[in-house]
Amino acid sequence: MAAWWSGEPVAGLVVLSLVVGGYAAAIRNAPGALVTSALGWMLLNGFVVHTRGDLAWEGVSDAVRLGTLAGAALIGVLCGWVAVRARERSTVSMSIPTARPAPRAELVVPSNDTAPAREASEPLAAARGDRCAHPV
């Protein structure tokens, strides 16, 4: 459509390069992206350069078109990999838990209401070593 509107196959090459690059960024697979660029070159050559659907090799101009599409595919794959790595780094840094201090024994409330809070904290304090039976 861009080639028909402007009258030049260069506009079609630019639009097709953007499409191939975007698809390559989405799939992040270099062989698949290169095959897609080859298919894009065949469509560009057959329906934009030669309007009747004939595939013909014109030399340097077709090599430039094929190289442009292959370059767009490889750049798209690279951009897709970079985007995934950046997303993984931001996800990993946010998912690492931070250590929280343990609650103090005098703030711990016993589960039953019969024992006072001080009596409940004494076994915990003895277990922690706050009160030593043998002074040092």
Side-chain angles (χ1 to χ4, degrees):
M1 196 65 172
W4 173 80
W5 180 66
S6 68
E8 293 290 326
V10 174
L13 178 63
V14 168
V15 170
L16 194 57
S17 294
L18 291 173
V19 170
V20 167
Y23 178 72
I27 65 168
R28 298 179 315 272
N29 182 351
L34 290 174
V35 168
T36 303
S37 68
L39 291 173
W41 173 79
M42 288 180 201
L43 289 171
L44 180 73
N45 191 7
F47 295 107
V48 175
V49 176
H50 306 108
T51 57
R52 295 183 184 186
D54 298 328
L55 287 176
W57 185 261
E58 293 181 357
V60 175
S61 61
D62 277 331
V64 168
R65 290 181 193 122
L66 186 58
T68 301
L69 291 172
L74 293 177
I75 289 172
V77 168
L78 182 66
C79 289
W81 284 340
V82 167
V84 166
R85 297 289 181 220
R87 197 172 326 143
E88 285 176 354
R89 285 184 182 163
S90 67
T91 304
V92 168
S93 66
M94 295 190 69
S95 67
I96 296 175
T98 57
R100 291 188 222 163
R104 294 188 314 227
E106 51 270 355
L107 298 177
V108 176
V109 179
S111 60
N112 56 3
D113 292 332
T114 59
R118 183 175 169 109
E119 292 173 6
S121 66
E122 286 178 2
L124 291 175
R128 281 192 328 208
D130 287 349
R131 297 182 188 181
C132 294
H134 305 289
V136 179

